[in-house]
Amino acid sequence: MQKMRLISEAYNYIKEQDPDTCITKSGFARLVKEGRIPSIRIGNKIIVNLDNVERFFKDGDRALQEMAEIESKGKIRKVMF
């Protein structure tokens, strides 16, 4: 089962893991809203997977992009000309 949390709950998780983190709540929310950390929108709520949050801060954008490319295999995607 995936550990899905609201942005505020995911930020609280980060603070629990590292109380001295320099990441602000608004900075974290911006990463999610820019799509750098994958999220799901359900109505007005934005939900993130804690595994993706940890992966982003461990490996950066590249790891999540590679994971998205692997997951998209076999799906129709836009071809750039």
Side-chain angles (χ1 to χ4, degrees):
M1 180 102 170
Q2 302 294 321
K3 298 180 281 184
M4 305 299 284
R5 302 287 186 272
L6 296 172
I7 291 176
S8 59
E9 295 171 340
Y11 178 74
N12 290 337
Y13 175 79
I14 292 170
K15 288 294 280 187
E16 286 175 12
Q17 299 301 311
D18 180 12
D20 297 326
T21 186
C22 62
I23 300 164
T24 63
K25 188 173 183 179
S26 61
F28 177 70
R30 187 177 21 225
L31 290 171
V32 173
K33 291 177 182 175
E34 289 174 353
R36 293 177 67 191
I37 297 175
S39 63
I40 300 170
R41 180 178 286 277
I42 300 176
N44 291 330
K45 296 180 181 181
I46 299 175
I47 300 172
V48 296
N49 182 333
L50 289 181
D51 293 335
N52 288 340
V53 172
E54 289 179 351
R55 191 173 296 122
F56 176 83
F57 287 112
K58 180 181 175 203
D59 300 328
D61 287 329
R62 191 172 352 141
L64 290 174
Q65 289 171 353
E66 289 172 1
M67 184 180 71
E69 289 174 7
I70 291 169
E71 290 176 353
S72 68
K73 298 250 187 232
K75 295 181 182 178
I76 297 174
R77 63 188 182 282
K78 185 176 182 178
V79 177
M80 304 303 280
F81 291 97

